[in-house]
Amino acid sequence: ILMKEIKAVQVRLRKKDPEKTKSLIKLEKQLENWLAQRSLAQILDWFDCIETTKVQTPMGSYRWSTESVARDRLFLKCLGVGTK
């Protein structure tokens, strides 16, 4: 059933909407690409966080705190999971 929900998210991401901002379109494209490159097992592994991960490099820290987090929040929102 989860794979069906992920497919539904992918369909919604492809829909054109004049109300979408450029930044939202860019974020949705990143999420669409990320989902297309991963299996269900890889997606579940990504969200299986048992412990806190510390990023050591400045670039890693930047990406972790902006691109990945924004994409993950959009994905969870599309799935209907409450995020803060």
Side-chain angles (χ1 to χ4, degrees):
I1 211 164
L2 182 58
M3 198 62 199
K4 186 177 179 180
E5 291 295 323
I6 292 171
K7 293 292 182 193
V9 167
Q10 289 174 310
V11 168
R12 279 183 276 166
L13 293 174
R14 292 183 194 116
K15 287 188 179 177
K16 303 290 185 219
D17 182 352
E19 300 292 317
K20 290 181 181 179
T21 64
K22 287 183 182 183
S23 60
L24 178 59
I25 292 169
K26 182 180 177 183
L27 184 59
E28 286 184 344
K29 186 65 175 168
Q30 290 172 348
L31 175 56
E32 185 179 350
N33 290 338
W34 186 80
L35 290 171
Q37 296 172 7
R38 280 156 185 79
S39 67
L40 177 58
Q42 289 171 318
I43 293 169
L44 293 174
D45 283 346
W46 178 258
F47 288 97
D48 184 22
C49 300
I50 297 173
E51 57 189 59
T52 301
T53 302
K54 292 188 180 186
V55 181
Q56 301 298 322
T57 66
M59 185 56 170
S61 180
Y62 170 77
R63 288 191 54 131
W64 191 268
S65 63
T66 57
E67 295 171 13
S68 298
V69 173
R71 182 202 62 224
D72 293 350
R73 284 184 178 151
L74 176 62
F75 181 53
L76 294 172
K77 180 180 176 186
C78 290
L79 287 174
V81 176
T83 59
K84 293 182 179 181

